[in-house]
Amino acid sequence: MAPLEQVEKCARLLSRKSTDDEKFAGLLLLPRVIDAQDTDAWTLIFDAMDIRFIERLMRTGIKQADEQRTGDQALLNIAVSVIDVLASHASIATNTRMLDRIPTLCTVAAMEIDKVSADAISVLCKLLAHDAAIDRVLHDSSILVQVVDAASKCSDPRAIAQFLDYALNRGSHYIHTHHDTAVARGWAAVVASTAEAFDKSHTVLKFELIAALANALEPITVDDAHYIDEQSSCISLIQSVSSGCIFVLKQKTEATQYTDQALVLYSHLTRLWPHHVFVGLVHNATHAVHQKEAELALRLACVEGQSAIDSMMIAPPDSQADRMRIRRGWKLSVCAEIAAAWLEWVTRWLDDQPESTNIDEA
């Protein structure tokens, strides 16, 4: 641990009783006095410091950045760098006073300010590694919903999409072990918002969110999906994901990476909510467009499955391209899962229908 006298000096400078100038001096002194790995010293500092001062620094820096995007970001740099060190220590990262910084950090992360936004994303990932932080953002879904909205406006949304990928996956693992009404509703709201952005976007964001949504649904079990749907209807989520997947599957392109991801994503829908996905095929859907989309998605999956079979039957694989196509036969299993889900669901649906003596009706 750093010399106690120096640690206590920093603590006094950063205390609630000191002036803003003294607090600022204390922040500048911290990295010179205390090693980033010194948990005991940083815990002492955190317990004594006025964390709201760092919050004010970030908000002032955000305002300055809004006014002049290329200006000096010293305040944001200092504030985020200190929070980054604090978030590296589990006992501090799970403290309520740290969790209260998440909304402002999300704002900084979505501002596309070179290194500062990247650092803010790093801090958020450190915080969300802890269940306490995941619980916070799912209980207040507006935090991540605002990040999704911001991503839709970013000129280069890749970094923020990667953060959403991590956050959604962590949320899904959390809900798997915490069946709580507020958590389920928060998860549904965030994923539905992400699905809507995926469906409506016509930029690179659409393709960045395919993997994020697939990774969000992958940890969810059928029981989890049923529970979530009971707490908050997943129909809009399903419709947005389905529509977005159809758009990707219909693209005439040599790049099949996104087509494969769209198939995987759609297969999760059929695994988790088959009734919502397929009911439009046997009943009049609420909207004719939804019925056509359900039919088209199933047809496209079958087309991709046939394409996978054709690729695997190419012989001999003389070229590198041929060998790549054969290796891509893995997606046949995904297409088969979609078709199997449809057959299982329609079989159950037929079994549930009342018996009829009218041959034409049957």
Side-chain angles (χ1 to χ4, degrees):
M1 181 172 174
L4 184 59
E5 181 180 346
Q6 293 182 333
V7 175
E8 289 178 341
K9 179 181 179 180
C10 288
R12 287 194 299 272
L13 289 171
L14 292 165
S15 71
R16 298 171 183 81
K17 297 180 180 179
S18 62
T19 66
D20 283 356
D21 287 342
E22 289 172 330
K23 292 184 178 73
F24 194 75
L27 290 180
L28 296 177
L29 188 60
L30 279 176
R32 302 178 184 178
V33 173
I34 306 175
D35 185 271
Q37 306 302 318
D38 193 338
T39 299
D40 292 339
W42 281 101
T43 300
L44 192 155
I45 290 294
F46 180 74
D47 290 341
M49 76 186 309
D50 182 5
I51 194 69
R52 290 173 299 179
F53 176 69
I54 295 182
E55 177 76 16
R56 284 193 286 122
L57 281 185
M58 286 196 292
R59 293 190 179 190
T60 301
I62 290 170
K63 184 178 179 181
Q64 290 178 348
D66 282 337
E67 294 173 351
Q68 47 181 34
R69 309 282 302 185
T70 59
D72 183 12
Q73 304 302 330
L75 295 183
L76 280 176
N77 272 311
I78 293 171
V80 172
S81 63
V82 171
I83 292 184
D84 188 17
V85 177
L86 292 171
S88 301
H89 303 279
S91 59
I92 299 175
T94 54
N95 187 285
T96 301
R97 293 194 298 146
M98 275 292 286
L99 300 181
D100 289 343
R101 311 283 76 83
I102 291 177
T104 306
L105 284 167
C106 284
T107 300
V108 177
M111 292 185 73
E112 296 187 282
I113 307 175
D114 297 332
K115 186 176 182 299
V116 178
S117 292
D119 288 346
I121 290 174
S122 175
V123 176
L124 286 167
C125 290
K126 289 179 181 180
L127 293 175
L128 292 179
H130 303 283
D131 285 352
I134 289 294
D135 189 79
R136 170 65 65 89
V137 297
L138 291 181
H139 272 87
D140 185 1
S141 59
S142 64
I143 296 173
L144 290 180
V145 168
Q146 289 175 2
V147 175
V148 176
D149 292 341
S152 301
K153 302 170 186 176
C154 288
S155 59
D156 184 358
R158 286 174 295 183
I160 202 71
Q162 289 172 2
F163 164 67
L164 286 170
D165 188 338
Y166 177 76
L168 292 176
N169 184 259
R170 280 285 295 122
S172 297
H173 281 287
Y174 183 77
I175 201 172
H176 180 60
T177 56
H178 296 77
H179 277 196
D180 172 88
T181 298
V183 169
R185 289 176 177 174
W187 183 93
V190 175
V191 177
S193 177
T194 307
E196 184 178 8
F198 164 61
D199 180 28
K200 292 184 176 180
S201 175
H202 295 288
T203 67
V204 67
L205 179 65
K206 176 183 285 290
F207 302 104
E208 292 293 331
L209 290 181
I210 299 178
L213 285 166
N215 289 334
L217 297 184
E218 193 275 333
I220 300 297
T221 66
V222 174
D223 288 340
D224 296 335
H226 180 70
Y227 178 77
I228 294 167
D229 194 42
E230 283 185 332
Q231 309 309 314
S232 180
S233 175
C234 294
I235 292 178
S236 64
L237 180 163
I238 294 164
Q239 290 174 345
S240 293
V241 170
S242 179
S243 176
C245 286
I246 289 171
F247 176 88
V248 175
L249 290 170
K250 288 169 65 178
Q251 299 308 298
K252 303 298 183 183
T253 175
E254 294 301 319
T256 56
Q257 171 190 356
Y258 300 119
T259 298
D260 295 346
Q261 290 178 349
L263 281 172
V264 172
L265 177 54
Y266 193 78
S267 72
H268 285 310
L269 289 187
T270 62
R271 173 177 64 87
L272 298 174
W273 299 285
H275 179 72
H276 289 325
V277 174
F278 296 129
V279 71
L281 295 174
V282 294
H283 285 303
N284 289 327
T286 306
H287 195 292
V289 172
H290 299 151
Q291 182 174 357
K292 290 180 180 179
E293 286 184 347
E295 295 172 353
L296 183 56
L298 191 57
R299 290 176 182 272
L300 288 170
C302 291
V303 168
E304 289 295 329
Q306 183 62 56
S307 175
I309 293 174
D310 293 343
S311 295
M312 293 172 68
M313 294 181 68
I314 294 175
D318 295 329
S319 68
Q320 177 66 20
D322 287 343
R323 288 191 287 273
M324 287 297 293
R325 280 196 294 271
I326 291 176
R327 283 201 292 270
R328 297 188 67 81
W330 69 268
K331 69 180 176 183
L332 178 60
S333 63
V334 178
C335 299
E337 287 174 4
I338 294 173
W342 155 246
L343 290 173
E344 181 180 358
W345 182 86
V346 79
T347 300
R348 290 180 180 177
W349 178 81
L350 289 171
D351 289 343
D352 291 340
Q353 302 310 299
E355 293 184 4
S356 175
T357 56
N358 186 322
I359 296 177
D360 293 333
E361 183 180 328

